[in-house]
Amino acid sequence: MKCQCLQAMTIVYGRCHEEIGSFNDTKYIIGMLERSTDKMERDRLLLFLQKLTLNRKNVKEMMDANGSRVLVDLLTLAHMHTSRATVPTQSNVIEASPDMWRESEKEWYYGNLEKERRGPFSLVEMKELYDGGTIHIKTRCWAQGLDGWRPLYTIPQLKWCLVASGAAVMNESDLATLILNMLIRICEYYPSRDADGAIVRPLPRAKRLLSEAHCLPHLVQLLLTFDPILVEKVATLLCLVMQDNPCISRLYLTGVFFFIMMYTGSNVLPLANFLKYTHMKQAFRVDDARSTDIMQQSILGHIMPDAMVCYLENYGAEKFAEIFLGEFDTPEAIWSGEMRRLMIEKIAAHLGEFSPRLHSNTRALYQYCPIPAVNYPQLEEELFCSIYYLRHLCDTQHFPNWPIKEPVKLLKDILDAWKQEVEKKPPTMSIDDAYKVLELKAAAGGYDENKIRKAYFRLAQKFHPDKNPDGRDMFEQVNKAYEFLCSKSSKTGAGPDPQNIVLILRSQSILFGRHKDELHPYKYAGYPMLIKTIRMETGDDALFSKPAALLPAATELAYHTVNCSALNAEELRREQGIEYLEEALSRCTAMLGAGSAPGDMVVQVCTHVTKCYAVAAQFEGCRGKILEKPAIVKELCRSLFFKHLTQLCTIAAECVSAFAVDHDLQTRMFEAGALYHLLLFLFNYDYTLDEGGVAKSSDTNQQAVANSLAKLSVWALSRLGGYLSDAHATPHNKSIQTAVEALLTPYLAKKLSDNEPEKLLKILNSNTENPYLIWDNATRAELAEYLEVEQTRKIRTGECDPSYGAVFVFSVHAKELIVGDVFVRIYNEQPSFIIERAKKFTIDLLEYLASQAQYLYSLLQLEKSGKVPDSSTRLRQVEMALEALRNIIQNNPGVEIQCIGQFRLLFCLLRLNGCDRLQQHALEVIASVTKNLECVNDIAASKVLVYLLLLLNSLPVCQLTVIETLYALTSSTMIIKEAVQKGGLLYLLDLFCNSTNPQVREKTAELFAKMLADKLLGPRVRIILAKFLPGIFMDAMRDSPQTAAHMFDGTHENPELIWNESVRHKVMVTIKRMKHEFYNAQLENPDFLWNLSEEMEVIYAEVRGELMIGDVYLRILVSNPGWVLRKPKEFTSELLDKFIALCSSKQVDGETLEAVTQAIVSLFSAQRNLCDQVPGLGHIPLIFEAMACRNGTVSKAAILVTHQLANSESCIQTMAQVESIAPMKLAMKIRKDMIGLACETINKLFQKEQDELVLQAIKAEMVPYLLGLLDGALPDVENPAGTKAQIVKALKAMARSLKFGEQINAMLSKSTVWSQYKEQMHDLFISDTNTAGYLTGTLHPDQRRRTTGL
């Protein structure tokens, strides 16, 4: 009934605890639990208490009633649970399971009488004694862990195993879980920090009670149940209890860290959280100076590997748990299930029989004893530094580019480790000494840890100061001996470990190699140790037989440090590192041979030292030291000799490039034969590999390595000779450049400055023939043979070609003409080939031609004597040079300017008659430069045009080229002037008139047109040409040279040209004769000038007596006035000028004036648009002036011209601005026969309604005059009626004037005659027949108009 009530209370309070509040009898419930002997009642009470903890006040009551201790006593029963399931784990060690019970575990003593002590007995034996009545509930009992002899019923384990009755509701593990949950909840009610994060002091009572000695050890020992739930709960509870707990530093004495690390389950995160919080806060003592700081501070330092402790401390519990449960083999973590099993085995062995004892005595207390360091076979060759295993970190094959989080910190730690390693001394106590203190005899294989631990316990108890006040000194010696045997120092050898030093050196190399930027600002602090290592290793006689060679790693580190920072390079120099590295290099290069392999120690040392020198050469101070050691350059070049060591050769080539920054070092390497080695590498290049698109790797493809070495050799050669510019520039070394140009040809040597090694190497390993290079198998073989011979001599004897290749000559080049590093013959065959320095090549060609001037002069003399050598080699070479000069100018615009100052030479070559090919090439050169105005001006200034003109007659095949050249040259007025003076026009006239080549004639006409267009000399040229040809030819040449040639060959008679066969023949014969005479004279004396008299003119009968104005025959124009003139405006102006001149003459030539007037009337009648241009010419005022004269012939001519001009409105507007009506009236009075035409003209004028004309008419009293004519009979007029009709229309037009109409009408209204005509229309009396026709003769049929009759 009691249990049912408790169960009901548990349910009710669990559901309604907030409404019920605190339970007033909590202390009573605790008392019931402590007194209870019924298992069911116990469990029901615990379940009820678990619900009571939901209220904080109940928790306080529980603590006041000593509830924490009661609960912890019940917790220990968990060790009695024998039916717990075995958890599958990763380890195969002994774990908590039923078979762990041992009959031999005798822990108990009892006594029924005063001072009676019987035992020890096992728990099973105690149960038998109780069942047999030997012992009872009041029997006093004791076991290790109890605070004294106590009645049996007050000991929880004996009470619940021997006395208790009833059936339990929960097994021991569930019971412990329930209690642990209660304790966790209680601790959560009392946090160690307040809301502001401040530590609460004193420690909350709940945690303080659990931290006491009668509670904490038993909580910790629950870990040995290995029950996953209990272990997790205990770890959680311990975290809560230990937070900011002053007792945390002594927590390790409970053995908690041993027990946790023995756990085999996988739910380790709570355990990891606990370890993370506590492992660095234990106040234990360690005497192992060789351990890292973190390992010395962590209680786990002797149990777990360094990396695991670092992971726990640096990365947190989660990452630690991940590593702890996994399989890891990396530079940061080496851990596996096997290592975990080994750790558990070692801890289990260290704990010995304590874990099984808890089954017999759950109150047993663990007596702490330091555990010997656990040695893991997997870490035997490892060196841990900072957070990395250096051997794994150095294993770049398995762990390439492993990330290093804090390189600077790691470098400091490695330097400290290095210092500790080199300063390592044997421990102060030997193993034998420790055995002697522990009273153990020296054994060959040593003692196992159990025997050492038992000996320690025995002596520690014997000499403990509490039991033996006189044994303090001995107690301390025993402790020291045991701690030494437990430390790692006892297991390591004496003195520095070479393997560790190698790892330290290689790790630093990796650091500097991967984290150059981060380490750049820091000066390397390890040079004293590094230089000492290099010096000692180099001087060691056993250098090449050591199992752990330090020299390769040390030299590699030296390279990486100087490569990282200039500060380090200078520091290395100050520490005499340059000198000691040279000693190491010399000793190792001496061991190089044909059998050396890339992995050999000597090869590695040479490689690293060479790289170090390559970097050090960047700094002037280091270069100075290198120059002081000639052996460095010598050994460097020796390294290049071993071609099979491609990696070493690659590094050596890079070093040559680095040394090339100094001129003295360049010379030193040159004299050491570096060129021989580097050039040979170039011929191992296979361009098909690079262009094939196939993936390649230097690790697997030897040709890829050879290609890379070839490229580096090109780079080294470029820097060695000073070919590069900008950022890669090195000093120019003339000696080296001379040798390279001789060995590679100047063309290939210049390619070194392009910084495109692939292109250069492809050319070198291909067969090529271009203007710069003749390169084939023969030249390659010839060069390779020379290089191999000299290379071998230099290495073996130290001697070689004194010029170092500067005088080497390829046999195939001896027969070629080479000008400016160009094969002239090849260039002429490939004129489109791009010459890199076209300007220089042009200058070189001109200099070559100048150098042949004396020979050419001799050739000219021979030419005059008729003894020109036809097969002269030098002549052919000059011809080749001229052809090349032409090609370079034609294909490289701009270079022709280099010919300035050389034109006398080039033009003189045109005089070599008989050397047609040479003349032709010289002419082509001249023709090619004429596009440049500066060249043209220089030619003009040179006064050498005569030689070009002579060529027109001496070399007919080149006439077209000469003409084209002259066409270009005539851009200069000076050239035209010289051409005129030297008879150029005569030669050209001869070509135009007498050449049988139509193209030559057309080009000549085109040339004439250009000369005529010259502003300064064009008129003179026209005058000269006009002495031989009509002017229309010059205009035709300008418009269409082809048309001009056709005109010359045709027969023509039109207003502008009278040309037939006889005229043409006379011109051709005259010009040909004159040209022949002049050519002979000029051939003898090139300075002979062409003088043409002013009177000279070719006159032919066909044009005699013809009146010609403006190159127009007037007779033919009158008969054909519709002819389209070439220059109508100019002709109109000249025609009117002639008209005005005739009219103004004192002695008027009536016949000529009539012809001119007839031409004007015919022209304006046929081409009226020409009238519109007359106002702009300024002739209209002059015509009216002429009209006003008293000469009837002139007046008639003026009326005729004015009559035609009146058809143009623009002319009428101009007439209105000048005095025109009065002169017209005067002329009408003088020539009454012209009144009809004059009235028609007046009618046209007034029809345009020009007020100015009306005003003139008023002033001139023209109205009365016209009215008088209306009133008269007009006997001198052919058509009086028509004339009067014109007068009427004119008067009506004047009357319409807005400004003067009223005045006119007033005049008309006064006239009686006007009244007869004003109302009638008189248009039918006006004829459309051109009156002028009656006076001037028959008009052109196209100009006639039909007449309109009545």
Side-chain angles (χ1 to χ4, degrees):
M1 181 61 69
K2 186 189 298 185
C3 291
Q4 289 180 350
C5 291
L6 287 170
Q7 183 177 5
M9 292 170 65
T10 301
I11 295 172
V12 171
Y13 197 82
R15 295 178 181 177
C16 305
H17 65 278
E18 292 182 355
E19 293 85 349
I20 296 172
S22 62
F23 185 70
N24 295 330
D25 294 325
T26 301
K27 293 182 179 180
Y28 178 74
I29 298 298
I30 294 295
M32 288 181 62
L33 178 61
E34 189 175 12
R35 295 188 300 270
S36 175
T37 57
D38 183 82
K39 294 180 180 179
M40 180 178 290
E41 181 183 344
R42 176 198 66 189
D43 293 348
R44 292 301 178 188
L45 287 169
L46 285 172
L47 289 169
F48 182 50
L49 284 172
Q50 191 263 342
K51 295 299 181 182
L52 290 178
T53 57
L54 294 172
N55 188 289
R56 185 168 180 171
K57 292 183 179 180
N58 295 337
V59 171
K60 184 177 182 302
E61 293 292 328
M62 289 173 61
M63 289 190 294
D64 291 342
N66 202 19
S68 298
R69 182 168 184 174
V70 172
L71 293 175
V72 171
D73 287 342
L74 290 174
L75 271 177
T76 60
L77 297 178
H79 297 294
M80 303 299 298
H81 189 197
T82 58
S83 60
R84 183 181 295 114
T86 302
V87 180
T89 63
Q90 298 182 27
S91 61
N92 58 3
V93 300
I94 300 174
E95 55 191 31
S97 58
D99 59 358
M100 290 179 64
W101 189 280
R102 298 185 182 180
E103 291 295 332
S104 60
E105 295 163 358
K106 301 180 183 293
E107 293 284 332
W108 293 98
Y109 297 85
Y110 74 90
N112 287 322
L113 301 176
E114 187 68 25
K115 296 184 179 181
E116 181 183 13
R117 182 177 181 180
R118 293 181 178 273
F121 299 100
S122 67
L123 184 61
V124 175
E125 292 173 336
M126 291 291 287
K127 185 174 179 57
E128 292 174 352
L129 292 172
Y130 180 79
D131 292 339
T134 305
I135 59 176
H136 47 82
I137 60 174
K138 293 186 178 181
T139 300
R140 291 181 301 107
C141 300
W142 179 86
Q144 191 266 336
L146 295 177
D147 52 1
W149 289 81
R150 294 169 55 186
L152 183 146
Y153 73 91
T154 62
I155 300 173
Q157 181 181 8
L158 296 180
K159 180 174 73 171
W160 296 110
C161 291
L162 306 181
V163 179
S165 60
V169 176
M170 299 175 288
N171 61 36
E172 290 83 350
S173 294
D174 294 338
L175 181 71
T177 302
L178 180 67
I179 296 173
L180 287 171
N181 286 333
M182 293 168 61
L183 294 176
I184 291 171
R185 182 177 294 170
I186 291 171
C187 289
E188 289 174 346
Y189 279 138
Y190 301 98
S192 299
R193 298 199 177 206
D194 60 19
D196 296 328
I199 299 175
V200 176
R201 284 291 182 268
L203 189 69
R205 184 183 176 195
K207 297 181 179 181
R208 189 168 63 250
L209 292 173
L210 293 176
S211 302
E212 293 178 352
H214 62 270
C215 289
L216 184 60
H218 301 297
L219 288 174
V220 168
Q221 289 170 184
L222 280 176
L223 295 168
L224 293 176
T225 63
F226 301 111
D227 183 283
I229 297 176
L230 294 181
V231 170
E232 187 173 338
K233 296 294 183 182
V234 169
T236 303
L237 178 60
L238 289 175
C239 280
L240 292 171
V241 172
M242 289 296 116
Q243 184 180 12
D244 300 318
N245 194 321
C247 301
I248 191 172
S249 61
R250 300 189 301 276
L251 180 61
Y252 74 98
L253 296 174
T254 64
V256 62
F257 297 101
F258 297 152
F259 306 155
I260 283 180
M261 300 314 296
M262 280 186 67
Y263 180 58
T264 59
S266 298
N267 55 329
V268 297
L269 185 56
L271 282 72
N273 286 323
F274 170 76
L275 292 175
K276 175 66 173 71
Y277 186 75
T278 60
H279 80 109
M280 297 290 285
K281 300 177 180 179
Q282 304 306 303
F284 69 101
R285 187 179 72 173
V286 62
D287 186 17
D288 188 1
R290 304 182 184 213
S291 300
T292 60
D293 290 341
I294 192 171
M295 294 299 285
Q296 293 183 28
Q297 296 173 23
S298 174
I299 190 64
L300 303 176
H302 278 194
I303 303 175
M304 300 192 69
D306 305 54
M308 295 300 292
V309 178
C310 288
Y311 257 99
L312 178 62
E313 180 62 22
N314 298 327
Y315 296 99
E318 291 80 2
K319 189 65 176 178
F320 171 79
E322 177 187 349
I323 302 294
F324 189 75
L325 297 175
E327 300 280 339
F328 289 85
D329 189 19
T330 70
E332 292 188 52
I334 299 177
W335 185 255
S336 63
E338 182 180 354
M339 296 175 71
R340 187 179 178 189
R341 285 190 292 271
L342 174 63
M343 178 189 68
I344 295 174
E345 288 175 358
K346 293 293 185 180
I347 296 174
H350 179 69
L351 296 180
E353 299 177 353
F354 177 72
S355 183
R357 284 175 55 200
L358 290 173
H359 292 282
S360 179
N361 176 16
T362 60
R363 298 290 297 184
L365 293 175
Y366 172 71
Q367 294 182 353
Y368 177 79
C369 179
I371 186 172
V374 178
N375 294 307
Y376 297 94
Q378 294 86 344
L379 305 178
E380 285 183 358
E381 296 182 354
E382 280 291 351
L383 175 63
F384 189 80
C385 186
S386 185
I387 59 172
Y388 299 97
Y389 288 108
L390 297 189
R391 181 172 295 278
H392 271 40
L393 186 65
C394 295
D395 188 356
T396 55
Q397 183 175 359
H398 291 93
F399 307 104
N401 299 319
W402 186 265
I404 298 174
K405 299 173 181 61
E406 298 181 35
V408 176
K409 180 180 181 302
L410 177 58
L411 178 60
K412 291 180 179 179
D413 292 342
I414 290 176
L415 289 173
D416 290 341
W418 190 6
K419 184 177 181 180
Q420 292 176 11
E421 188 69 36
V422 298
E423 294 177 355
K424 187 188 295 183
K425 297 178 180 179
T428 55
M429 178 179 288
S430 67
I431 295 178
D432 291 340
D433 293 338
Y435 283 164
K436 184 176 181 182
V437 172
L438 295 178
E439 298 181 357
L440 293 171
K441 294 182 180 180
Y447 292 94
D448 60 22
E449 295 172 358
N450 280 331
K451 291 184 178 180
I452 295 173
R453 185 175 59 256
K454 289 179 179 178
Y456 166 70
F457 273 124
R458 177 173 53 82
L459 294 174
Q461 290 177 353
K462 178 179 179 181
F463 296 105
H464 194 282
D466 293 343
K467 296 182 178 181
N468 186 354
D470 298 330
R472 178 176 295 275
D473 293 339
M474 190 61 188
F475 179 75
E476 290 179 357
Q477 291 183 27
V478 169
N479 275 336
K480 185 175 181 181
Y482 181 68
E483 288 176 358
F484 168 71
L485 292 175
C486 290
S487 68
K488 295 180 180 179
S489 301
S490 63
K491 299 175 176 62
T492 58
D497 185 350
Q499 294 291 352
N500 286 348
I501 296 178
V502 169
L503 292 178
I504 289 170
L505 293 170
R506 291 182 61 196
S507 299
Q508 293 180 79
S509 297
I510 290 174
L511 263 177
F512 280 103
R514 296 181 189 173
H515 298 277
K516 181 178 178 180
D517 293 339
E518 293 92 331
L519 298 176
H520 174 75
Y522 299 94
K523 182 185 291 187
Y524 182 59
Y527 276 126
M529 292 184 289
L530 178 60
I531 299 303
K532 182 179 180 181
T533 301
I534 293 173
R535 178 170 53 82
M536 292 178 62
E537 287 291 299
T538 302
D540 193 342
D541 294 337
L543 172 63
F544 304 114
S545 59
K546 286 186 174 183
L550 300 181
L551 191 56
T555 53
E556 181 181 12
L557 177 56
Y559 156 68
H560 282 293
T561 55
V562 297
N563 188 42
C564 177
S565 171
L567 298 174
N568 291 339
E570 292 300 316
E571 187 68 17
L572 179 70
R573 178 183 62 82
R574 284 191 289 269
E575 294 288 340
Q576 297 184 321
I578 300 294
E579 293 87 336
Y580 290 125
L581 286 172
E582 182 270 326
E583 294 176 4
L585 179 64
S586 297
R587 184 168 184 189
C588 290
T589 51
M591 300 301 295
L592 292 175
S596 299
D600 291 353
M601 187 199 75
V602 293
V603 177
Q604 293 180 26
V605 172
C606 291
T607 300
H608 299 321
V609 174
T610 304
K611 290 168 70 176
C612 185
Y613 282 143
V615 177
Q618 300 175 30
F619 311 105
E620 185 176 359
C622 295
R623 291 198 298 271
K625 285 291 184 181
I626 293 172
L627 281 170
E628 293 175 6
K629 291 287 185 178
I632 294 177
V633 173
K634 177 183 176 182
E635 300 303 338
L636 173 63
C637 293
R638 178 179 174 80
S639 300
L640 291 167
F641 180 70
F642 301 98
K643 302 180 183 65
H644 64 289
L645 301 174
T646 52
Q647 183 64 28
L648 176 58
C649 292
T650 298
I651 301 302
E654 292 177 347
C655 189
V656 170
S657 299
F659 281 9
V661 298
D662 184 271
H663 187 276
D664 293 337
L665 283 174
Q666 287 178 338
T667 304
R668 190 76 60 83
M669 290 186 290
F670 176 55
E671 295 172 350
L675 288 186
Y676 304 141
H677 306 289
L678 295 174
L679 288 172
L680 280 172
F681 291 135
L682 307 186
F683 300 115
N684 296 327
Y685 181 78
D686 181 5
Y687 66 88
T688 60
L689 179 63
D690 286 345
E691 296 178 357
V694 179
K696 54 188 177 295
S697 170
S698 57
D699 297 331
T700 57
N701 192 318
Q702 290 300 315
Q703 186 57 52
V705 177
N707 283 8
S708 176
L709 179 55
K711 295 174 187 177
L712 283 173
S713 299
V714 171
W715 177 255
L717 288 168
S718 301
R719 289 176 59 83
L720 196 60
Y723 287 96
L724 300 176
S725 58
D726 299 330
H728 306 298
T730 54
H732 291 277
N733 194 305
K734 185 60 179 177
S735 300
I736 296 176
Q737 289 187 1
T738 302
V740 172
E741 289 176 2
L743 295 171
L744 284 185
T745 73
Y747 172 70
L748 292 178
K750 291 174 185 175
K751 290 288 183 184
L752 292 171
S753 62
D754 295 342
N755 198 14
E756 294 180 341
E758 294 83 359
K759 292 183 179 180
L760 172 60
L761 290 169
K762 184 176 181 179
I763 295 173
L764 273 172
N765 292 278
S766 306
N767 290 349
T768 304
E769 185 174 278
N770 64 49
Y772 281 118
L773 184 65
I774 299 176
W775 195 260
D776 52 24
N777 295 337
T779 54
R780 265 193 303 277
E782 186 178 1
L783 177 59
E785 180 181 3
Y786 169 80
L787 294 174
E788 289 173 355
V789 170
E790 297 302 322
Q791 179 193 57
T792 304
R793 284 180 59 200
K794 188 65 177 177
I795 293 298
R796 293 180 179 175
T797 67
E799 299 179 354
C800 64
D801 178 3
S803 70
Y804 302 101
V807 297
F808 178 80
V809 178
F810 289 97
S811 56
V812 72
H813 297 166
K815 302 177 182 178
E816 295 288 340
L817 172 62
I818 303 174
V819 177
D821 300 331
V822 176
F823 297 99
V824 177
R825 176 184 64 83
I826 304 298
Y827 178 64
N828 290 333
E829 294 174 358
Q830 304 175 17
S832 60
F833 185 88
I834 298 176
I835 299 297
E836 296 175 355
R837 300 176 64 186
K839 177 180 176 181
K840 182 180 181 302
F841 181 48
T842 305
I843 295 172
D844 292 338
L845 286 171
L846 291 169
E847 290 177 352
Y848 171 76
L849 291 173
S851 69
Q852 301 298 311
Q854 183 61 43
Y855 166 73
L856 295 174
Y857 176 78
S858 302
L859 190 66
L860 179 61
Q861 300 304 315
L862 292 172
E863 183 266 333
K864 289 182 177 180
S865 63
K867 301 178 180 179
V868 179
D870 296 331
S871 58
S872 172
T873 301
R874 293 183 66 182
L875 179 61
R876 287 198 300 270
Q877 290 181 342
V878 173
E879 293 172 355
M880 290 166 57
L882 284 169
E883 184 180 1
L885 184 58
R886 176 205 65 190
N887 292 332
I888 194 66
I889 292 173
Q890 289 179 349
N891 292 283
N892 298 272
V895 301
E896 65 274 1
I897 200 170
Q898 305 305 318
C899 295
I900 293 177
Q902 304 292 333
F903 288 116
R904 288 189 177 275
L905 170 65
L906 295 174
F907 274 82
C908 284
L909 296 177
L910 300 177
R911 299 182 60 190
L912 295 175
N913 295 331
C915 302
D916 294 355
R917 186 177 177 84
L918 185 146
Q919 286 180 300
Q920 183 176 352
H921 288 319
L923 175 60
E924 290 170 351
V925 171
I926 295 169
S928 62
V929 305
T930 54
K931 297 178 182 179
N932 188 293
L933 183 59
E934 294 183 45
C935 292
V936 172
N937 292 336
D938 192 62
I939 292 173
S942 301
K943 303 294 183 180
V944 290
L945 188 66
V946 61
Y947 303 119
L948 187 62
L949 297 174
L950 288 172
L951 208 62
L952 287 170
N953 192 76
S954 62
L955 196 64
V957 295
C958 293
Q959 285 178 345
L960 193 60
T961 305
V962 174
I963 294 171
E964 291 174 347
T965 304
L966 285 170
Y967 184 87
L969 289 173
T970 50
S971 300
S972 170
T973 301
M974 293 179 62
I975 292 289
I976 299 175
K977 181 179 180 181
E978 186 178 0
V980 172
Q981 293 174 345
K982 296 298 177 67
L985 295 180
L986 184 59
Y987 289 117
L988 294 173
L989 278 170
D990 180 58
L991 292 178
F992 179 75
C993 298
N994 295 307
S995 177
T996 58
N997 188 336
Q999 192 175 3
V1000 170
R1001 295 179 63 200
E1002 292 172 9
K1003 289 293 183 181
T1004 303
E1006 187 176 351
L1007 175 58
F1008 275 139
K1010 186 175 182 181
M1011 296 173 73
L1012 289 166
D1014 186 79
K1015 294 181 180 180
L1016 187 61
L1017 292 174
R1020 183 181 177 190
V1021 172
R1022 189 179 188 89
I1023 291 172
I1024 295 174
L1025 293 181
K1027 294 179 180 294
F1028 298 93
L1029 297 172
I1032 192 172
F1033 278 101
M1034 278 72 89
D1035 295 331
M1037 290 174 183
R1038 180 194 61 194
D1039 298 336
S1040 172
Q1042 186 177 9
T1043 301
H1046 289 325
M1047 284 177 60
F1048 186 86
D1049 294 335
T1051 300
H1052 311 278
E1053 184 171 334
N1054 56 58
E1056 294 181 297
L1057 179 64
I1058 297 175
W1059 190 260
N1060 53 35
E1061 180 62 31
S1062 63
V1063 175
R1064 183 168 48 253
H1065 178 71
K1066 183 176 182 180
V1067 172
M1068 292 171 63
V1069 171
T1070 301
I1071 291 173
K1072 187 173 183 179
R1073 175 182 53 79
M1074 293 178 65
K1075 186 268 300 183
H1076 182 71
E1077 293 174 356
F1078 181 74
Y1079 172 74
N1080 290 332
Q1082 198 171 52
L1083 191 62
E1084 293 295 328
N1085 179 17
D1087 295 328
F1088 187 74
L1089 301 179
W1090 185 44
N1091 293 316
L1092 189 65
S1093 64
E1094 295 293 332
E1095 294 77 16
M1096 189 275 167
E1097 186 176 1
V1098 179
I1099 302 176
Y1100 31 91
E1102 284 76 4
V1103 296
R1104 280 194 181 93
E1106 289 285 348
L1107 179 59
M1108 177 181 258
I1109 296 176
D1111 295 332
V1112 175
Y1113 299 102
L1114 296 188
R1115 176 184 62 83
I1116 301 176
L1117 177 64
V1118 171
S1119 63
N1120 187 12
W1123 178 263
V1124 179
L1125 298 171
R1126 291 178 291 109
K1127 300 178 181 179
K1129 184 176 180 180
E1130 291 81 352
F1131 171 68
T1132 302
S1133 178
E1134 290 188 32
L1135 187 61
L1136 290 173
D1137 288 343
K1138 183 67 174 177
F1139 175 79
I1140 298 298
L1142 289 171
C1143 292
S1144 303
S1145 176
K1146 294 181 179 180
Q1147 298 293 328
V1148 178
D1149 185 351
E1151 185 179 353
T1152 303
L1153 178 59
E1154 183 179 356
V1156 172
T1157 303
Q1158 188 177 8
I1160 292 174
V1161 171
S1162 299
L1163 181 64
F1164 287 166
S1165 297
Q1167 303 182 41
R1168 291 196 173 181
N1169 60 309
L1170 292 178
C1171 295
D1172 295 333
Q1173 299 181 11
V1174 174
L1177 298 176
H1179 292 92
I1180 291 178
L1182 300 176
I1183 293 173
F1184 283 103
E1185 288 180 7
M1187 188 181 291
C1189 72
R1190 299 291 179 174
N1191 190 313
T1193 303
V1194 175
S1195 297
K1196 178 183 177 180
I1199 291 173
L1200 289 172
V1201 173
T1202 304
H1203 179 262
Q1204 294 299 323
L1205 295 177
N1207 293 317
S1208 169
E1209 185 174 354
S1210 60
C1211 290
I1212 294 173
Q1213 292 175 355
T1214 303
M1215 293 176 188
Q1217 304 302 321
V1218 301
E1219 188 67 31
S1220 57
I1221 300 301
M1224 182 70 72
K1225 178 181 176 182
L1226 179 61
M1228 290 170 67
K1229 290 180 178 181
I1230 295 172
R1231 292 298 299 256
K1232 295 185 181 294
D1233 58 332
M1234 298 300 296
I1235 289 176
L1237 193 63
C1239 289
E1240 184 179 347
T1241 302
I1242 291 172
N1243 181 28
K1244 292 179 181 179
L1245 294 178
F1246 289 118
Q1247 290 298 327
K1248 300 302 179 181
E1249 299 181 357
Q1250 293 287 334
D1251 292 337
E1252 292 81 357
L1253 288 174
V1254 177
L1255 179 61
Q1256 288 188 37
I1258 294 171
K1259 292 180 178 180
E1261 298 181 350
M1262 178 61 81
V1263 175
Y1265 177 70
L1266 292 177
L1267 289 174
L1269 291 177
L1270 281 178
D1271 192 33
L1274 301 178
D1276 298 322
V1277 177
E1278 182 178 353
N1279 184 8
T1283 301
K1284 290 182 178 182
Q1286 296 285 359
I1287 293 172
V1288 171
K1289 289 190 70 174
L1291 290 172
K1292 288 182 177 181
M1294 285 190 283
R1296 290 195 296 268
S1297 173
L1298 297 176
K1299 192 172 182 180
F1300 303 105
E1302 293 181 1
Q1303 192 174 352
I1304 297 297
N1305 284 323
M1307 293 180 184
L1308 294 175
S1309 63
K1310 295 178 182 180
S1311 173
T1312 56
V1313 179
W1314 178 247
S1315 60
Q1316 300 175 18
Y1317 292 92
K1318 66 177 181 179
E1319 300 296 338
Q1320 299 179 16
M1321 300 294 293
H1322 299 83
D1323 291 349
L1324 296 178
F1325 291 93
I1326 299 175
S1327 173
D1328 287 339
T1329 303
N1330 196 324
T1331 308
Y1334 299 116
L1335 301 174
T1336 60
T1338 307
L1339 293 176
H1340 191 276
D1342 293 339
Q1343 304 299 321
R1344 286 190 190 277
R1345 296 186 179 182
R1346 292 182 300 170
T1347 302
T1348 304
L1350 293 176

